[in-house]
């Protein structure tokens, strides 16, 4: 049995990518609503912009990671191990970036924005929730990557 070429479970992986796109779009919606003195006074403006860029970038990365399977069929075929290394790199990077953004937003805001106190606080809490979901779906992709590697190698 080849250690470089093995079966990769694409159905679960592609489903996870689909949910990464949906959750990023929900995050994008709520991030785009964050403005006002509650955000700027606490120095959250730059972190909100980074989180917004990450919400825009997440679906792009997800789509590229799905398309690599089709491109590798047309062009010179990559080994399964090379595909998973490529995917793992981006999955780990995106998980890390989402976690950093969410923790930074949470730490900078502190407990000063409970739900129901203002529209901005409500949107902010939704950003934390949907951003956490994004981090979890990217982490799930890392788990899929590691599981595939250990099953195949």
């Amino acid at each position: 049995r080849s250690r470089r070429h093995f079966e990769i479970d694409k159905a679960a992986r592609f489903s996870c990518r689909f949910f990464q796109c949906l959750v990023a779009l929900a995050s994008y919606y709520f991030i785009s609503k964050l403005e006002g003195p509650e955000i700027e006074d606490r120095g959250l403006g730059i972190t909100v912009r980074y989180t917004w860029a990450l919400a825009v970038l997440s679906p792009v990365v997800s789509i590229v990671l799905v398309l690599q399977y089709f491109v590798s069929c047309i062009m010179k075929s990559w080994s399964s191990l090379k595909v998973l290394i490529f995917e793992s790199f981006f999955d780990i990077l995106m998980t890390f970036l989402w976690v950093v953004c969410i923790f930074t937003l949470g730490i900078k805001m502190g407990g000063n924005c409970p739900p129901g106190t203002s529209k901005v606080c409500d949107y902010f809490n939704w950003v934390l929730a949907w951003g956490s979901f994004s981090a979890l779906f990217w982490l799930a992709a890392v788990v899929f990557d590691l599981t595939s590697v250990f099953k195949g190698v």
Side-chain angles (χ1 to χ4, degrees):
R1 176 171 113 150
S2 173
R3 290 185 175 274
R4 295 183 53 184
H5 298 285
F6 47 85
E7 184 70 26
I8 297 174
D9 180 17
K10 293 177 190 74
R13 188 173 302 279
F14 290 175
S15 297
C16 185
R17 300 287 178 216
F18 173 75
F19 283 107
Q20 286 171 342
C21 291
L22 285 181
V23 170
L25 292 174
S27 297
Y28 172 80
Y29 171 77
F30 288 108
I31 293 165
S32 67
K33 300 288 185 182
L34 288 181
E35 56 188 13
E38 293 99 334
I39 300 302
E40 295 302 326
D41 290 349
R42 290 183 176 86
L44 289 170
I46 190 76
T47 308
V48 167
R49 288 188 283 284
Y50 279 124
T51 309
W52 177 85
L54 192 56
V56 170
L57 186 63
S58 285
V60 174
V61 173
S62 293
I63 291 168
V64 167
L65 292 175
V66 168
L67 289 177
Q68 76 163 334
Y69 286 97
F70 300 106
V71 171
S72 71
C73 292
I74 298 169
M75 299 172 64
K76 182 183 176 208
S77 185
W78 281 13
S79 69
S80 302
L81 193 57
K82 193 180 280 188
V83 166
L84 286 174
I85 289 170
F86 180 77
E87 255 187 293
S88 297
F89 171 77
F90 284 102
D91 290 337
I92 292 167
L93 177 66
M94 295 300 286
T95 302
F96 174 75
L97 292 175
W98 273 109
V99 167
V100 166
C101 283
I102 296 308
F103 272 103
T104 304
L105 286 170
I107 289 169
K108 282 187 174 183
M109 183 61 82
N112 300 323
C113 205
T117 55
S118 71
K119 266 213 177 300
V120 172
C121 284
D122 290 342
Y123 288 135
F124 178 80
N125 288 304
W126 279 114
V127 167
L128 291 181
W130 285 103
S132 298
F133 291 144
S134 286
L136 286 173
F137 277 110
W138 283 101
L139 182 61
V142 172
V143 171
F144 284 135
D145 296 339
L146 294 176
T147 302
S148 294
V149 168
F150 290 127
K151 278 184 184 176
V153 175

